[in-house]
């Protein structure tokens, strides 16, 4: 690669990292709404269902942040990237996201355990990857030596914009025009684009 080409790529780093953070955050928030919509026909929209979904998402975010913290302290950047790519690829096994066909909700008792297990099996790994992704990308950008890396907080703006647009786009642009199976395939395509 020529010096001129590598300088151009280096100058594009802020845009590439911003785009990755934007897409990852959008996917994270869209999938929360999409999986909840998949669960509703099985269990309805009771507070226990919604609260359990929110608890799962928050717990997975916390686990992802703890993992990112631990990995960034224990391993060098090259090992972090290899490990993150391996987990990213492993999550492709459950794509496109769907509920297992043979699972039936409990007839009696609390659905909380059922919902948590259902979310973990159908969505756990991709959600974990996306929750880790933003933290690691921001850390990696800060280590690039790029002049913008001294103040990488603009990446938070890209992530927040992706989150907001993900939340707004689901009820206005995605849910009304696409069936759940189509939504899941489109989401999986977005996940693979983010991986690339």
């Amino acid at each position: 690669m020529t010096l001129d080409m590598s300088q151009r790529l280096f100058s594009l780093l802020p845009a590439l990292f911003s785009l990755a953070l934007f897409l990852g955050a959008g996917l994270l928030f869209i999938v929360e709404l999409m999986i909840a919509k998949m669960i509703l026909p099985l269990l309805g929209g009771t507070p226990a269902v919604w609260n359990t979904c929110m608890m799962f998402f928050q717990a997975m975010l916390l686990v992802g942040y703890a993992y990112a913290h631990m990995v960034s302290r224990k391993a060098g950047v090259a090992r972090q990237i290899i490990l993150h790519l391996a987990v990213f690829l492993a999550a492709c096994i459950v794509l496109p996201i769907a509920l297992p066909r043979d699972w039936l909700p409990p007839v009696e008792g609390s659905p909380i355990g059922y919902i948590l297990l259902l979310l973990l099996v159908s969505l756990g790994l991709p959600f974990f990857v996306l929750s880790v992704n933003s933290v690691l990308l921001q850390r990696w950008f800060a280590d690039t030596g790029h002049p913008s890396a001294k103040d990488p907080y603009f990446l938070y703006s890209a992530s927040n914009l992706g989150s907001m647009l993900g939340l707004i786009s689901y009820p206005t642009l995605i849910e009304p025009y696409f069936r759940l199976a189509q939504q899941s395939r489109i989401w999986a395509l977005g996940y693979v684009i983010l991986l690339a």
Side-chain angles (χ1 to χ4, degrees):
M1 185 181 315
T2 66
L3 184 60
D4 187 43
M5 180 64 128
S6 64
Q7 287 175 337
R8 279 193 207 145
L9 287 174
F10 189 70
S11 69
L12 290 175
L13 281 179
L16 291 173
F17 274 84
S18 295
L19 183 61
L21 285 162
F22 173 82
L23 180 57
L27 289 171
L28 189 71
F29 279 83
I30 287 170
V31 80
E32 290 180 10
L33 299 170
M34 186 176 72
I35 196 74
K37 176 115 174 151
M38 289 178 184
I39 291 174
L40 286 178
L42 291 175
L43 297 166
T46 67
V49 174
W50 290 109
N51 291 341
T52 304
C53 286
M54 290 307 299
M55 181 186 74
F56 174 82
F57 299 139
Q58 293 301 312
M60 289 301 289
L61 280 172
L62 184 60
V63 168
Y65 292 162
Y67 168 83
H69 176 71
M70 181 187 71
V71 166
S72 64
R73 293 186 63 129
K74 302 284 184 190
V77 173
R79 285 189 177 157
Q80 291 174 38
I81 292 170
I82 291 167
L83 182 60
H84 188 55
L85 285 174
V87 177
F88 222 118
L89 284 168
C92 290
I93 293 170
V94 298
L95 297 181
I97 292 171
L99 300 181
R101 292 182 185 180
D102 54 348
W103 280 32
L104 295 173
V107 177
E108 294 180 11
S110 173
I112 293 173
Y114 170 84
I115 296 168
L116 291 174
L117 188 57
L118 184 63
L119 290 170
L120 188 62
V121 168
S122 60
L123 176 67
L125 199 51
F127 193 87
F128 170 78
V129 168
L130 291 175
S131 70
V132 170
N133 198 54
S134 65
V135 177
L136 288 179
L137 284 175
Q138 290 171 24
R139 170 110 180 166
W140 296 341
F141 181 74
D143 291 341
T144 62
H146 192 279
S148 299
K150 294 175 185 169
D151 188 20
Y153 293 102
F154 68 93
L155 295 175
Y156 289 109
S157 299
S159 180
N160 287 341
L161 182 62
S163 301
M164 185 178 66
L165 290 178
L167 285 173
I168 292 170
S169 69
Y170 189 81
T172 58
L173 300 173
I174 298 170
E175 185 182 22
Y177 301 107
F178 299 99
R179 300 172 108 176
L180 279 172
Q182 293 171 313
Q183 293 173 27
S184 185
R185 285 192 297 274
I186 293 168
W187 189 90
L189 177 63
Y191 184 90
V192 171
I193 290 170
L194 180 61
L195 173 59

